[in-house]
Amino acid sequence: MVVLGIETTCDETAAAVVERFEDGRGRILSNVVLSQVSEHAAFGGVVPEIAARAHVEALDVIINKAMTQAQRRYNNIDAIAAAAGPGLIGGVIVGLTTAKAIALVNEKPLIAVNHLEAHALTARLTDHTPFPYMLFLASGGHTQVVAVRGVGDYVRLGTTVDDAIGEAFDKTAKLLGLGYPGGPQVEKEALKGDPNRFALPRPMVGRPDCNFSFSGLKTALRLEAEKIAPLSDQDVSDLCASFQAAVVDVILDRIRTGLRMFRNKYGAPTALVAAGGVAANQVIRKVLHRLAFEIGTVVVAPPPELCTDNGAMIAWAGAERLALRLTDGLAAAPRARWPLEEVAGVQPAAPYRALNRS
Ligand code: KG4
Ligand code: ZN
């Protein structure tokens, strides 16, 4: 089963071709990602209008590249998948509409993939991870702890009540005059800094749920920075190290609580799966390994290029859904907001060949 996947929900224009074998294993035939980072850098964050226009300009070239690298033509592809949300709606419309056009012209089924579901299922492409597992998705737009029990069977155990973790890193970087995206810069600076110099809060630690909050931490950091301004290089490093230490403590406590919730409800998870750009952070990865070790499970952290937004994860989620005959009609709507729990799972026969009139 071979699926073309299209991703345009944020600032990456991406397309990929992925194959799924009958035993449930997967293989990436091509994975092409064009990052718009440079176009947004001057603004310190993603500008939706700029993102949508950039997707329009680049998408056809990126799709052609993905098809060429995979050495496939549309007549030997089984379905077209596109991220239909959640995300910046302009970009989502560009990707989904393009996918619909390709599906219609080539008489192939369309699969409207939830972007979060694609992050959630990537571990099955890379590591063939069996259900049920716990997902910790931490990116610039999302902070979610999810029990992944099957395709279309997701239970959110926790989320952020304000900023996403990546957003907190990006805002910290912006405040301290570091570049965008902020995560890698903050991590680099933190290596040279003293994590104990500033006593920053650990929001939500000790709470019985596994939710997160970062706005108080951000404010506390700003106040500390203002107190000692102008900042020396060492001050910046110490602030980064203290910030990262606080985030790590929060993650340790929150994920530990999440794992406990998971075990109480569903038994032991087969793995703790990390996804999203923040999972590239080495200190955070170390904490996740420690947590997994504590409960006798393993960490599955896909390689960075599959942790951040990409087309392969969309194609793969499409293939997993196609295997269950979960396809969509051409009326599938783009969605700015689309909680994982609203993703449909296995249902009575979806019209698998609805688009295949031949
Ligand atoms: O998944 P992603 O590429 O895009 C979405 O947001 O969907 O994640 C990007 C986010 C940014 O906020 C970036 O600052 C953060 O991931 N990030 C990191 C690191 N690398 C990327 N955060 C902390 N440490 C890192 N090494
Ligand atoms: Zn993402």
Side-chain angles (χ1 to χ4, degrees), residues 152-189:
D153 187 354
Y154 314 105
V155 181
R156 197 174 74 185
L157 301 174
T159 186
T160 178
V161 298
D162 41 55
D163 295 346
I165 299 188
E167 197 180 352
F169 272 95
D170 293 338
K171 286 179 176 171
T172 295
K174 196 173 178 181
L175 176 86
L176 299 176
L178 304 170
Y180 170 82
Q185 319 273 352
V186 172
E187 182 178 11
K188 204 166 108 210
E189 286 296 323

CSV table of all heavy atoms in Angstrom, one decimal, residues 152-189:
chain,number,residue,atom,x,y,z
A,152,GLY,N,-7.2,5.9,15.5
A,152,GLY,CA,-8.4,6.6,15.8
A,152,GLY,C,-8.9,6.4,17.2
A,152,GLY,O,-10.1,6.7,17.5
A,153,ASP,N,-8.1,5.9,18.1
A,153,ASP,CA,-8.5,5.6,19.5
A,153,ASP,C,-7.5,6.3,20.4
A,153,ASP,O,-6.5,5.7,20.8
A,153,ASP,CB,-8.6,4.1,19.8
A,153,ASP,CG,-9.2,3.9,21.2
A,153,ASP,OD1,-9.4,4.8,21.9
A,153,ASP,OD2,-9.4,2.7,21.5
A,154,TYR,N,-7.7,7.6,20.6
A,154,TYR,CA,-6.8,8.4,21.4
A,154,TYR,C,-7.5,9.0,22.6
A,154,TYR,O,-8.6,9.6,22.5
A,154,TYR,CB,-6.2,9.6,20.5
A,154,TYR,CG,-5.8,9.1,19.2
A,154,TYR,CD1,-6.5,9.3,18.0
A,154,TYR,CD2,-4.6,8.3,19.0
A,154,TYR,CE1,-6.1,8.8,16.8
A,154,TYR,CE2,-4.2,7.8,17.8
A,154,TYR,CZ,-5.0,8.1,16.7
A,154,TYR,OH,-4.6,7.6,15.5
A,155,VAL,N,-6.8,9.0,23.7
A,155,VAL,CA,-7.4,9.6,24.9
A,155,VAL,C,-6.4,10.6,25.4
A,155,VAL,O,-5.2,10.2,25.8
A,155,VAL,CB,-7.7,8.6,26.0
A,155,VAL,CG1,-8.3,9.3,27.3
A,155,VAL,CG2,-8.6,7.5,25.5
A,156,ARG,N,-6.7,11.9,25.5
A,156,ARG,CA,-5.8,12.9,25.9
A,156,ARG,C,-5.8,12.9,27.5
A,156,ARG,O,-6.8,13.0,28.1
A,156,ARG,CB,-6.3,14.3,25.4
A,156,ARG,CG,-5.1,15.3,25.5
A,156,ARG,CD,-5.5,16.6,24.9
A,156,ARG,NE,-6.5,17.3,25.8
A,156,ARG,CZ,-7.0,18.4,25.4
A,156,ARG,NH1,-6.8,19.0,24.2
A,156,ARG,NH2,-7.9,19.0,26.2
A,157,LEU,N,-4.6,12.7,28.0
A,157,LEU,CA,-4.4,12.6,29.5
A,157,LEU,C,-4.1,14.0,30.0
A,157,LEU,O,-4.3,14.3,31.2
A,157,LEU,CB,-3.4,11.6,29.8
A,157,LEU,CG,-3.6,10.2,29.4
A,157,LEU,CD1,-2.4,9.3,29.7
A,157,LEU,CD2,-4.9,9.6,30.0
A,158,GLY,N,-3.4,14.8,29.2
A,158,GLY,CA,-3.0,16.1,29.6
A,158,GLY,C,-2.7,17.0,28.5
A,158,GLY,O,-2.4,16.6,27.4
A,159,THR,N,-2.7,18.3,28.8
A,159,THR,CA,-2.3,19.3,27.7
A,159,THR,C,-1.9,20.6,28.5
A,159,THR,O,-1.8,20.6,29.7
A,159,THR,CB,-3.5,19.6,26.8
A,159,THR,OG1,-3.0,20.5,25.7
A,159,THR,CG2,-4.7,20.3,27.5
A,160,THR,N,-1.5,21.6,27.7
A,160,THR,CA,-1.2,22.9,28.4
A,160,THR,C,-2.4,23.8,28.5
A,160,THR,O,-3.3,23.8,27.7
A,160,THR,CB,-0.1,23.6,27.6
A,160,THR,OG1,0.2,24.9,28.2
A,160,THR,CG2,-0.5,23.9,26.1
A,161,VAL,N,-2.4,24.5,29.6
A,161,VAL,CA,-3.5,25.4,29.8
A,161,VAL,C,-3.2,26.8,29.2
A,161,VAL,O,-4.1,27.7,29.1
A,161,VAL,CB,-4.0,25.6,31.3
A,161,VAL,CG1,-4.4,24.3,31.8
A,161,VAL,CG2,-2.8,26.2,32.1
A,162,ASP,N,-2.0,27.0,28.7
A,162,ASP,CA,-1.6,28.3,28.1
A,162,ASP,C,-0.6,28.0,26.9
A,162,ASP,O,-1.0,27.5,25.9
A,162,ASP,CB,-1.1,29.3,29.1
A,162,ASP,CG,-0.2,28.8,30.1
A,162,ASP,OD1,0.8,28.1,29.8
A,162,ASP,OD2,-0.5,28.9,31.3
A,163,ASP,N,0.6,28.4,27.1
A,163,ASP,CA,1.6,28.2,26.0
A,163,ASP,C,2.0,26.8,25.8
A,163,ASP,O,2.1,26.0,26.8
A,163,ASP,CB,2.9,29.0,26.3
A,163,ASP,CG,2.6,30.5,26.4
A,163,ASP,OD1,1.5,31.0,25.9
A,163,ASP,OD2,3.4,31.3,26.9
A,164,ALA,N,2.4,26.4,24.6
A,164,ALA,CA,3.0,25.2,24.3
A,164,ALA,C,4.5,25.2,24.8
A,164,ALA,O,5.0,26.3,24.9
A,164,ALA,CB,2.9,24.8,22.8
A,165,ILE,N,5.1,24.0,25.0
A,165,ILE,CA,6.5,24.0,25.5
A,165,ILE,C,7.4,24.7,24.5
A,165,ILE,O,8.2,25.5,24.9
A,165,ILE,CB,7.0,22.6,25.7
A,165,ILE,CG1,6.1,21.9,26.8
A,165,ILE,CG2,8.4,22.6,26.2
A,165,ILE,CD1,6.6,20.6,27.3
A,166,GLY,N,7.3,24.4,23.2
A,166,GLY,CA,8.1,25.0,22.2
A,166,GLY,C,8.0,26.5,22.2
A,166,GLY,O,8.9,27.2,22.0
A,167,GLU,N,6.7,26.9,22.3
A,167,GLU,CA,6.4,28.3,22.4
A,167,GLU,C,7.1,29.0,23.5
A,167,GLU,O,7.7,30.1,23.4
A,167,GLU,CB,4.9,28.5,22.5
A,167,GLU,CG,4.3,29.8,22.2
A,167,GLU,CD,2.8,29.7,22.4
A,167,GLU,OE1,2.2,28.6,22.7
A,167,GLU,OE2,2.1,30.8,22.3
A,168,ALA,N,7.2,28.3,24.7
A,168,ALA,CA,7.8,28.9,25.9
A,168,ALA,C,9.3,29.0,25.6
A,168,ALA,O,9.9,30.0,25.9
A,168,ALA,CB,7.6,28.0,27.1
A,169,PHE,N,9.9,28.0,24.9
A,169,PHE,CA,11.3,28.1,24.5
A,169,PHE,C,11.5,29.3,23.5
A,169,PHE,O,12.5,30.1,23.7
A,169,PHE,CB,11.8,26.8,23.8
A,169,PHE,CG,12.3,25.8,24.8
A,169,PHE,CD1,11.5,24.8,25.3
A,169,PHE,CD2,13.7,25.8,25.2
A,169,PHE,CE1,12.0,23.8,26.2
A,169,PHE,CE2,14.2,24.9,26.1
A,169,PHE,CZ,13.3,23.9,26.5
A,170,ASP,N,10.6,29.4,22.6
A,170,ASP,CA,10.7,30.5,21.6
A,170,ASP,C,10.6,31.9,22.2
A,170,ASP,O,11.3,32.8,21.9
A,170,ASP,CB,9.7,30.3,20.5
A,170,ASP,CG,9.9,29.1,19.6
A,170,ASP,OD1,11.0,28.6,19.6
A,170,ASP,OD2,8.9,28.6,19.0
A,171,LYS,N,9.7,32.0,23.2
A,171,LYS,CA,9.5,33.3,23.8
A,171,LYS,C,10.7,33.7,24.7
A,171,LYS,O,11.1,34.8,24.8
A,171,LYS,CB,8.2,33.3,24.6
A,171,LYS,CG,6.9,33.4,23.7
A,171,LYS,CD,5.6,33.3,24.5
A,171,LYS,CE,4.4,33.5,23.6
A,171,LYS,NZ,3.1,33.3,24.3
A,172,THR,N,11.2,32.7,25.3
A,172,THR,CA,12.4,32.9,26.2
A,172,THR,C,13.5,33.4,25.3
A,172,THR,O,14.2,34.4,25.6
A,172,THR,CB,12.8,31.6,26.9
A,172,THR,OG1,11.8,31.2,27.8
A,172,THR,CG2,14.1,31.7,27.6
A,173,ALA,N,13.7,32.7,24.1
A,173,ALA,CA,14.8,33.1,23.2
A,173,ALA,C,14.6,34.5,22.7
A,173,ALA,O,15.5,35.3,22.7
A,173,ALA,CB,14.8,32.1,22.0
A,174,LYS,N,13.3,34.9,22.4
A,174,LYS,CA,13.0,36.2,21.9
A,174,LYS,C,13.4,37.2,23.0
A,174,LYS,O,14.0,38.3,22.7
A,174,LYS,CB,11.6,36.2,21.5
A,174,LYS,CG,11.2,37.4,20.6
A,174,LYS,CD,9.8,37.3,20.2
A,174,LYS,CE,9.4,38.5,19.3
A,174,LYS,NZ,8.0,38.4,18.9
A,175,LEU,N,12.9,37.0,24.2
A,175,LEU,CA,13.2,37.9,25.3
A,175,LEU,C,14.7,38.1,25.5
A,175,LEU,O,15.1,39.2,25.9
A,175,LEU,CB,12.5,37.3,26.6
A,175,LEU,CG,12.8,38.1,27.9
A,175,LEU,CD1,11.7,39.2,28.0
A,175,LEU,CD2,12.7,37.2,29.1
A,176,LEU,N,15.4,37.1,25.3
A,176,LEU,CA,16.9,37.2,25.6
A,176,LEU,C,17.7,37.6,24.4
A,176,LEU,O,18.9,37.6,24.4
A,176,LEU,CB,17.4,35.9,26.2
A,176,LEU,CG,16.7,35.4,27.5
A,176,LEU,CD1,17.3,34.1,27.9
A,176,LEU,CD2,17.0,36.5,28.6
A,177,GLY,N,17.0,37.9,23.3
A,177,GLY,CA,17.6,38.3,22.1
A,177,GLY,C,18.3,37.2,21.3
A,177,GLY,O,19.3,37.5,20.5
A,178,LEU,N,17.9,36.0,21.5
A,178,LEU,CA,18.4,34.8,20.7
A,178,LEU,C,17.6,34.6,19.5
A,178,LEU,O,16.5,35.2,19.4
A,178,LEU,CB,18.5,33.6,21.6
A,178,LEU,CG,19.2,33.7,22.9
A,178,LEU,CD1,19.0,32.5,23.8
A,178,LEU,CD2,20.7,33.9,22.7
A,179,GLY,N,18.0,33.8,18.6
A,179,GLY,CA,17.3,33.7,17.3
A,179,GLY,C,16.1,32.8,17.4
A,179,GLY,O,15.7,32.3,18.4
A,180,TYR,N,15.4,32.7,16.2
A,180,TYR,CA,14.2,31.9,16.1
A,180,TYR,C,14.5,30.7,15.1
A,180,TYR,O,15.2,31.0,14.1
A,180,TYR,CB,13.0,32.7,15.5
A,180,TYR,CG,11.8,31.9,15.2
A,180,TYR,CD1,10.9,31.5,16.1
A,180,TYR,CD2,11.7,31.5,13.8
A,180,TYR,CE1,9.9,30.7,15.8
A,180,TYR,CE2,10.6,30.7,13.5
A,180,TYR,CZ,9.7,30.3,14.5
A,180,TYR,OH,8.6,29.5,14.1
A,181,PRO,N,14.1,29.5,15.3
A,181,PRO,CA,13.3,29.1,16.5
A,181,PRO,C,14.2,29.0,17.8
A,181,PRO,O,15.4,28.7,17.7
A,181,PRO,CB,12.8,27.7,16.1
A,181,PRO,CG,13.7,27.2,15.0
A,181,PRO,CD,14.3,28.4,14.3
A,182,GLY,N,13.6,29.2,18.9
A,182,GLY,CA,14.3,29.4,20.1
A,182,GLY,C,14.9,28.2,20.8
A,182,GLY,O,15.9,28.3,21.5
A,183,GLY,N,14.2,27.1,20.7
A,183,GLY,CA,14.6,25.9,21.4
A,183,GLY,C,16.0,25.5,21.3
A,183,GLY,O,16.7,25.4,22.3
A,184,PRO,N,16.5,25.3,20.1
A,184,PRO,CA,17.9,24.9,19.9
A,184,PRO,C,18.9,26.0,20.5
A,184,PRO,O,19.9,25.6,21.1
A,184,PRO,CB,18.1,24.8,18.4
A,184,PRO,CG,16.8,24.6,17.9
A,184,PRO,CD,15.8,25.4,18.8
A,185,GLN,N,18.6,27.3,20.4
A,185,GLN,CA,19.4,28.3,20.9
A,185,GLN,C,19.5,28.3,22.4
A,185,GLN,O,20.5,28.4,23.1
A,185,GLN,CB,18.9,29.7,20.5
A,185,GLN,CG,18.4,29.8,19.1
A,185,GLN,CD,19.5,30.1,18.2
A,185,GLN,OE1,20.7,30.4,18.6
A,185,GLN,NE2,19.3,30.1,16.9
A,186,VAL,N,18.3,28.1,23.0
A,186,VAL,CA,18.2,28.1,24.5
A,186,VAL,C,19.0,26.9,25.0
A,186,VAL,O,19.7,27.0,26.0
A,186,VAL,CB,16.7,28.0,25.0
A,186,VAL,CG1,16.6,27.8,26.5
A,186,VAL,CG2,16.0,29.4,24.6
A,187,GLU,N,18.8,25.7,24.3
A,187,GLU,CA,19.5,24.5,24.8
A,187,GLU,C,21.0,24.8,24.7
A,187,GLU,O,21.8,24.4,25.6
A,187,GLU,CB,19.1,23.3,23.9
A,187,GLU,CG,19.8,22.1,24.3
A,187,GLU,CD,19.4,20.8,23.5
A,187,GLU,OE1,18.8,20.9,22.5
A,187,GLU,OE2,19.8,19.7,24.0
A,188,LYS,N,21.5,25.4,23.6
A,188,LYS,CA,22.9,25.7,23.4
A,188,LYS,C,23.5,26.6,24.5
A,188,LYS,O,24.5,26.3,25.2
A,188,LYS,CB,23.1,26.3,22.1
A,188,LYS,CG,24.5,26.0,21.5
A,188,LYS,CD,24.6,26.4,20.0
A,188,LYS,CE,25.4,27.7,19.8
A,188,LYS,NZ,25.0,28.5,18.7
A,189,GLU,N,22.7,27.7,24.8
A,189,GLU,CA,23.2,28.6,25.8
A,189,GLU,C,23.2,28.0,27.2
A,189,GLU,O,24.0,28.3,28.0
A,189,GLU,CB,22.2,29.8,25.8
A,189,GLU,CG,22.4,30.8,24.7
A,189,GLU,CD,23.7,31.5,24.7
A,189,GLU,OE1,24.2,31.8,25.8
A,189,GLU,OE2,24.3,31.7,23.6
